[in-house]
């Protein structure tokens, strides 16, 4: 749950907007939770069958959420699904509110990057093997109990992983079979296998903006329905 101060600030903004009959309150102010920090990324699609949408990054300034930037976003080839119900290998993007543990890339960190940033090496892997103790973890080199065929060799995706942020889906206490390796990364040729992607310049801007001291989170969801982004 978000701190009381943040919740009250968000509620006040919403009520003022509604009472004045003006523009609706900013999206983060209408959400159930924003992670308790002062930075937020929202990735929103029209519906669960969509593979594209909009990503916006926001700052909380003087009690009001202010848009810092935006970009077109891509989602999983099979759309979006409630994160708690997601199954691995379905090419769906999990909805929900998640932290952003660290960044990584096949290229050097953009100027101004403050997030912890791990360079991708030839022996850098993301383990997706449900039978491995390293499930849903970066492993360098590949863990002995993690099958290469069930993992991502990060350097093989030099373009998409030029710059990326780990999305904390199923990360802190991984549930086997729910999914591994969900990132915010650079666009590839089309829809993703479950990640969220944006153009490279937008990814560079996001990394120059994100500040771990401000506890940035990402909310993924739709415009309405059970996976409405405002539920998270």
């Amino acid at each position: 749950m978000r701190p009381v101060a943040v919740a009250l600030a968000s509620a006040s903004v919403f009520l003022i907007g509604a009472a004045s009959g003006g523009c609706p309150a900013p999206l983060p102010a209408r959400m159930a939770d924003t992670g308790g920090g002062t930075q937020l990324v929202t990735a929103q699609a029209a519906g669960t069958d969509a593979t594209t949408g909009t990503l916006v990054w926001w700052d909380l300034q003087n009690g009001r959420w202010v848009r810092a930037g935006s970009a077109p976003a891509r989602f999983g080839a099979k759309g979006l699904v409630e994160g708690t119900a997601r199954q691995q290998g379905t090419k769906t993007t999990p909805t929900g509110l998640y932290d952003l543990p660290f960044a990584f890339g096949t290229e050097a960190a953009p100027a101004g990057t403050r997030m912890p940033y791990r360079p991708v090496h030839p022996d850098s892997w993301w383990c997706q093997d449900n039978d491995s103790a390293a499930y849903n973890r970066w492993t360098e080199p590949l863990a002995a109990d993690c099958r290469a065929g069930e993992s991502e060799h990060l350097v093989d995706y030099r373009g998409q992983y030029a710059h990326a942020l780990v999305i904390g889906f199923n990360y802190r206490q991984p549930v086997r079979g729910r999914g591994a390796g969900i990132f915010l990364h650079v666009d590839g040729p089309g829809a993703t296998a479950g990640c969220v992607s944006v153009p490279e310049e937008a990814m560079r801007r996001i990394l120059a903006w994100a500040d771990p001291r401000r506890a940035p989170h990402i909310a993924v969801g739709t415009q309405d329905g059970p996976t409405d982004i405002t539920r998270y």
Side-chain angles (χ1 to χ4, degrees):
M1 295 296 291
R2 57 185 166 177
V4 173
V6 175
L8 289 175
S10 297
S12 297
V13 171
F14 180 75
L15 290 173
I16 291 170
S20 65
C23 297
L27 178 57
R30 292 180 275 123
M31 292 175 57
D33 194 357
T34 56
T38 58
Q39 287 188 326
L40 180 70
V41 179
T42 56
Q44 190 176 31
T48 54
D49 59 348
T51 59
T52 61
T54 303
L55 185 136
V56 181
W57 49 107
W58 307 81
D59 290 305
L60 184 62
Q61 298 178 354
N62 300 317
R64 183 175 178 84
W65 287 100
V66 178
R67 181 188 294 240
S70 65
R74 295 176 181 173
F75 300 100
K78 298 297 184 181
L80 299 86
V81 69
E82 172 64 47
T84 56
R86 186 180 186 270
Q87 295 183 353
Q88 186 163 324
T90 55
K91 295 186 178 180
T92 54
T93 297
T95 62
L97 176 68
Y98 307 105
D99 65 350
L100 298 165
F102 65 91
F104 67 91
T106 61
E107 297 181 9
T113 298
R114 287 160 290 185
M115 295 292 289
Y117 193 93
R118 302 183 74 164
V120 173
H121 299 125
D123 59 350
S124 301
W125 294 77
W126 197 276
C127 182
Q128 299 180 352
D129 187 341
N130 281 283
D131 296 326
S132 173
Y135 178 68
N136 203 19
R137 289 291 184 273
W138 177 296
T139 172
E140 192 175 294
L142 184 65
D145 69 342
C146 188
R147 292 169 289 176
E150 297 292 327
S151 302
E152 261 194 0
H153 191 205
L154 298 177
V155 76
D156 289 347
Y157 302 91
R158 192 170 295 276
Q160 291 96 318
Y161 296 159
H163 307 293
L165 273 163
V166 176
I167 294 177
F169 166 73
N170 202 32
Y171 185 75
R172 300 299 175 186
Q173 296 180 312
V175 175
R176 312 286 167 156
R178 182 162 291 169
I182 300 297
F183 312 129
L184 172 59
H185 64 71
V186 175
D187 282 339
T192 73
C195 296
V196 180
S197 73
V198 293
E200 183 172 5
E201 179 55 30
M203 195 67 233
R204 295 176 65 87
R205 290 169 59 199
I206 292 165
L207 284 175
W209 160 84
D211 185 347
R213 296 170 299 181
R214 298 179 62 190
H217 283 66
I218 184 169
V220 182
T222 55
Q223 293 178 2
D224 52 29
T227 54
D228 188 328
I229 198 169
T230 63
R231 291 183 54 246
Y232 302 112

